[in-house]
Structure formats: structure tokens, C-alpha cells
Amino acid sequence: MATETATSIKKLPSLSGLNHRRNPLDENPFFHPSDGFYINPSDVILSQVTYDLSAQSQPRFAYHRAGPRQEIMYEPSAVKAAIVTCGGLCPGMNTVIRELVVGLWELYDVKEIYGIPAGYRGFYSMEAVKLNPKIVHDWHKKGGTVLATSRGGFHLNKIVDAIQLNGYNQVYIIGGDGTMRGAVEIFKEVSRRKLEVGITGIPKTVDNDVGIIDRSFGFQTAVEMAQQAISAAHVEAESAVNGIGLVKLMGRSTGHIALHATLSSRDVDCCLIPEMDFYLEGKGGLFEFLEKRLKERGHAVLVVAEGAGQDMIPRNDSQKQERDESGNLVFLDVGAWFKSVLKEWWEREHPDELFTVKYIDPTYMIRAVPANATDNLYCTLLAHSAIHGVMAGYTGFVSGPINGNYAYIPLEEVAQAKNEVNTNDHKWAWVRSVTTQPDFESKF
Ligand SMILES: Nc1ncnc2c1ncn2[C@@H]1O[C@H](COP(=O)(O)OP(=O)(O)O)[C@@H](O)[C@H]1O
Ligand SMILES: O=P(O)(O)OC[C@H]1O[C@](O)(COP(=O)(O)O)[C@@H](O)[C@@H]1O
Ligand SMILES: [Mg+2]
């Protein structure tokens, strides 16, 4: 039997030069803080909820639980908050902005709230927009980000100079893995300059590739949209003779959208993701599988995440080098490539038989929509958790759900963590059993 083990808390940086005061929620007519309303610094969320009781004792880690603190560190009238959105779009970005503005205003009586336009570059190259609840009241119904976003433009000193010059003392940074790495640098530079500025990251990624947290906001909405594309591909494939419905879904380095859409749709015959190598020709390859499926059922649906098979697509020298403004390698269109290799294969093997590939690329449709109800609620809780944490004086942290409870996680840990599909776990085995696709193991 395991012996009791001590739990170590993932400590958070906090601002030291500010003064404690009672939380104004005490006086808020909509709140009657009773016992348990405020979260103690000793309230934690365990990083892991599954344990093998027969195993040797394992170290346990815990994160501070998110939520309002009895004492806060800012005089609300002295707060000047900045909100910025960076990277690609994700359903729910506008909801997070809206709830940051409304939450700061209504919960803590903060009136100086600014939107930074167009991502990190907006700090030093554009005029900030003053926000209030009236301006943002219906933003949760809109896709995209009203503040606009961009890639690249990360100039650390220019950004921190702008924070200092404008007197922002709370900075809310909404973005993905790249944005979080930038936020770590901002946090470190702000600390180096000894500025009393609370820096918090709110992880945004339609790909669900940020680690530690249960899932990222907008992901569920994206999966729902992806399913619609799969249904259309299925109809097209079923209505053709030897029809293949091919759907490319987002997922630069992770295949979560493809995996979840496959599992929920059940119309998919094969799902290819970046975490798994595959091959086309020969025994155990994709063509052999498709051939069999077409013979048995007359049609097949193929879902491919954008990052899958990138090393199989021929690239010229300039394509090998091409990067976006943020430094991410520019991917070639795996869907278009698949369409052409499938056609070549069929013409070679069955030149006299009908064959159709209908390729659907819903890339921007799945991320440009407003968040669904579940994601909207999630965005609200994330925004409020972030506000409570910053008001309490924490800095260099990210809010997010861990095992269903909201926690404060050190920013640096989130920036380093990845959330890849584990092709050895039960979920991926379920994908394989639903699709009966090959495991492509014989070659690798
Ligand atoms: N390693 C890094 N250090 C500092 N800033 C970064 C880093 N990676 C990306 N960024 C900046 O973060 C922003 C968003 O990054 P990007 O990769 O485009 O999107 P995402 O944050 O959604 O992954 C860009 O302004 C980019 O310049
Ligand atoms: O065309 P864009 O705007 O560069 O976006 C495409 C990328 O956005 C993503 O959804 C990832 O975006 P983020 O890095 O912003 O999370 C990838 O799946 C895709 O490669
Ligand atoms: Mg990214």
C-alpha cells in the first residue's frame, strides 16, 4: 500500500510593492460573500486525480485554486488594464475580451480598460482603444476578435516600454503557444525592470495544443463545425461511384480536432494526424485499405489534419524555408496533395473505373464562428478567474481548468507544455476500432 505523500504547490510569482485591501465584492449588492466564497491561498487543485494505490508513493503536485481572494492588492481606481489578442483566430476570443471588460468593471469597479489592437505589435505601433461594458456588450456573439490579431511583431523592449509609458499595471494576454512564450518574456522583463504590473495569459488555441489545462476554449465549437464538413464529405462520397470524401482539418502539430470530429461523426474511414506516421503504397498502406473499403462499401471518408504527412509532400527549396511572421513553418496543403496522389493511384490501378475525390477544406470556417454555449460559458469563467488572480496580486500565471476545476498555473510551465495526441492510449485505440484503419506499424 502507498504511504501518504506530501503535496508540493506550484508557487506563483506575486507583486510585492502593492497594498492589501478588502475585496470590494464584500460591498457588491449581487454578492453576499459567505463562508467558502473566498478562496484561501492554501486551496489547491491536484495536478493528477488518478493514482495507483498499490504503487510506491508518488510525488503530488498542486496548483493554486482560481477564484476571488478576500484581500486584493490593487486600489481599483488606480488600475489601468490592457487586453491583447495574438495569433490565429479561435471561437470565443471576443467572449473572453467582453468578460474581462465587464468583469473588471462590475466586479472590481475598474474603469480604465484598454484594448490593444492587432496583437503584440499594437502595443508600440497603434492607438489603444478604451473599452467599457456598453462597447463590448454583444461581442460574445461575434466570431474572430474585434481588437484584431496578428502574427509576428514581437519586440520585447518596445512592448515593455509601451506598457511602462502608458502606465498599464494589468496586462491580459490572450493567445496560443507562441503568445505564451512571448508573455513569459514580457513577464521577465517587467520583473527585471521592477514594474508593479500583473501579467496573465489566457490560452487560446483552436488546435487544443496547449498542455496542462483540460482543453482550450473554442475547441468544442471547432469540433462541431468540423463534423459538418465530414457529414458533407460523406454525402458526396456516398453519392458517387467509388467516391472518396476528403476533409482537411486544422491541427498544425496536434490532431485533436481530427480525432474528436472522427469519434463524434462515425462516418470516417481513416483519420490521419501529425502524431502518427503513415504510408501509401504496399501491404498495410493507405491505398490497400481504401481499395478494400471502396470494394466493400463503394465509398470512403478520409480526414487529415493539416500537419499530417508534411514530410511526404514534395517541397522546393523556397518552400522548405518559408515561415509565417511568427516563425512557424508554412505548411503545404496536405488535402490538395492527397487529392492528386489518390487520383494518380486510381488511374494507375483502375483506369477504366469511375472514381471521384471531393475535397473539403473548412479551415477558416471552423475557427471564424462565434463560440457555442459551452465555450461561451467557459470563456466567462476563464476571464473572471484571470481577473480575480491579477487583482489578488498574482502575476506570471495562466488560468485554466485542471480536472474540471479552475487553477492558476505558472505561465512558464504552460508556455513549455504541449498537448499531443497519445497514439498509445485508449482514445486513439477507439479511433482505430471505429474506423478499422491500418496502424501503419509494419514500416515504422
Ligand atoms: N518564442 C517566442 N518568443 C516571443 N514571442 C513569440 C514567440 N513565438 C511567437 N511569439 C509571438 O507570439 C505571437 C503569436 O504567435 P503565433 O505563433 O503566431 O500564434 P499562437 O500564439 O496562436 O501560437 C506573435 O506576435 C509572435 O511573434
Ligand atoms: O492561416 P493562419 O492564420 O496562419 O492560421 C493557420 C494556423 O492556425 C492554427 O489553427 C494554429 O493557430 P495558432 O498558432 O494561432 O493557435 C493552425 O492549425 C494553422 O496552421
Ligand atoms: Mg501556435
Side-chain angles (χ1 to χ4, degrees):
M1 228 18 192
T3 49
E4 259 314 295
T5 36
T7 303
S8 47
I9 300 183
K10 304 268 189 168
K11 287 218 172 66
L12 290 177
S14 55
L15 300 174
S16 53
L18 306 173
N19 293 320
H20 292 245
R21 66 201 70 238
R22 286 290 296 197
N23 194 317
L25 287 175
D26 283 352
E27 312 299 329
N28 188 312
F30 298 109
F31 294 80
H32 297 289
S34 51
D35 283 354
F37 177 86
Y38 290 118
I39 308 295
N40 293 316
S42 54
D43 285 348
V44 295
I45 310 293
L46 289 177
S47 65
Q48 209 183 322
V49 287
T50 52
Y51 283 95
D52 177 355
L53 290 179
S54 69
Q56 284 299 307
S57 58
Q58 305 158 30
R60 282 199 313 206
F61 297 101
Y63 298 94
H64 285 289
R65 191 173 155 208
R69 275 24 185 189
Q70 191 152 36
E71 291 202 318
I72 61 165
M73 300 286 275
Y74 287 86
E75 160 58 46
S77 64
V79 172
K80 194 170 179 190
I83 304 168
V84 65
T85 53
C86 312
L89 295 186
C90 177
M93 285 167 102
N94 277 324
T95 311
V96 175
I97 303 166
R98 179 197 191 277
E99 299 306 332
L100 285 173
V101 173
V102 175
L104 280 164
W105 192 284
E106 303 287 349
L107 301 172
Y108 288 101
D109 212 22
V110 170
K111 306 290 189 230
E112 292 280 311
I113 310 166
Y114 292 84
I116 307 298
Y120 278 135
R121 69 185 71 241
F123 271 108
Y124 55 84
S125 64
M126 292 165 104
E127 196 74 33
V129 188
K130 193 152 188 215
L131 300 173
N132 62 44
K134 210 167 153 199
I135 293 173
V136 301
H137 81 281
D138 63 348
W139 286 17
H140 60 297
K141 296 180 182 166
K142 300 173 199 275
T145 159
V146 178
L147 293 180
T149 183
S150 70
R151 298 195 189 273
F154 187 83
H155 294 293
L156 181 62
N157 280 321
K158 287 190 191 178
I159 293 167
V160 180
D161 286 351
I163 290 172
Q164 202 169 356
L165 201 72
N166 288 291
Y168 299 129
N169 50 11
Q170 297 188 356
V171 180
Y172 296 84
I173 303 174
I174 306 163
D177 54 345
T179 306
M180 293 303 135
R181 288 192 281 275
V184 169
E185 290 194 39
I186 295 174
F187 162 67
K188 286 183 176 164
E189 179 58 18
V190 159
S191 311
R192 198 190 61 78
R193 295 189 194 186
K194 297 192 173 27
L195 305 176
E196 297 289 351
V197 182
I199 305 284
T200 190
I202 301 177
K204 162 248 49 143
T205 153
V206 74
D207 296 349
N208 198 30
D209 56 6
V210 170
I212 305 174
I213 59 172
D214 294 346
R215 69 180 159 82
S216 49
F217 73 78
F219 174 67
Q220 284 199 338
T221 308
V223 170
E224 247 169 61
M225 294 300 292
Q227 259 207 87
Q228 291 180 19
I230 294 174
S231 296
H234 187 226
V235 169
E236 289 286 347
E238 253 191 327
S239 309
V241 177
N242 294 320
I244 293 204
L246 170 62
V247 180
K248 181 182 74 171
L249 294 174
M250 280 199 162
R252 157 168 282 282
S253 52
T254 62
H256 292 284
I257 297 179
L259 184 165
H260 283 247
T262 294
L263 284 181
S264 43
S265 142
R266 307 295 176 90
D267 286 335
V268 179
D269 294 279
C270 185
C271 171
L272 300 171
I273 57 171
E275 292 89 339
M276 183 193 68
D277 289 322
F278 64 92
Y279 59 93
L280 304 177
E281 312 267 358
K283 194 162 167 39
L286 184 68
F287 291 160
E288 182 193 70
F289 171 74
L290 288 176
E291 170 108 44
K292 192 159 164 269
R293 206 32 78 95
L294 290 177
K295 203 168 273 173
E296 286 165 2
R297 299 192 191 164
H299 71 278
V301 174
L302 184 58
V303 165
V304 54
E306 64 173 322
Q310 283 296 318
D311 50 357
M312 296 165 77
I313 312 175
R315 281 174 179 261
N316 62 32
D317 283 347
S318 80
Q319 286 168 334
K320 282 183 193 150
Q321 310 296 333
E322 205 185 343
R323 309 252 154 195
D324 69 16
E325 288 95 334
S326 292
N328 305 306
L329 182 69
V330 174
F331 282 169
L332 298 178
D333 184 348
V334 65
W337 173 74
F338 250 120
K339 185 172 174 170
S340 79
V341 293
L342 285 168
K343 281 184 155 177
E344 275 168 31
W345 160 66
W346 192 265
E347 272 163 28
R348 193 175 69 223
E349 300 293 325
H350 308 280
D352 302 324
E353 286 184 51
L354 279 176
F355 181 69
T356 305
V357 183
K358 291 287 190 278
Y359 170 36
I360 299 179
D361 177 0
T363 295
Y364 295 113
M365 284 181 65
I366 72 168
R367 72 173 198 190
V369 291
N372 68 13
T374 312
D375 273 327
N376 256 333
L377 181 59
Y378 176 18
C379 291
T380 306
L381 295 172
L382 271 181
H384 286 200
S385 297
I387 295 170
H388 292 312
V390 174
M391 290 303 294
Y394 291 127
T395 182
F397 74 97
V398 157
S399 307
I402 296 180
N403 302 317
N405 293 287
Y406 285 76
Y408 295 142
I409 311 155
L411 187 50
E412 205 153 4
E413 206 177 315
V414 174
Q416 282 162 9
K418 281 199 176 116
N419 180 32
E420 289 180 339
V421 172
N422 178 359
T423 54
N424 294 316
D425 75 357
H426 297 119
K427 213 193 268 175
W428 186 254
W430 188 24
V431 168
R432 291 212 44 242
S433 74
V434 164
T435 59
T436 71
Q437 68 188 62
D439 60 12
F440 304 106
E441 265 176 6
S442 59
K443 241 191 182 171
F444 302 104

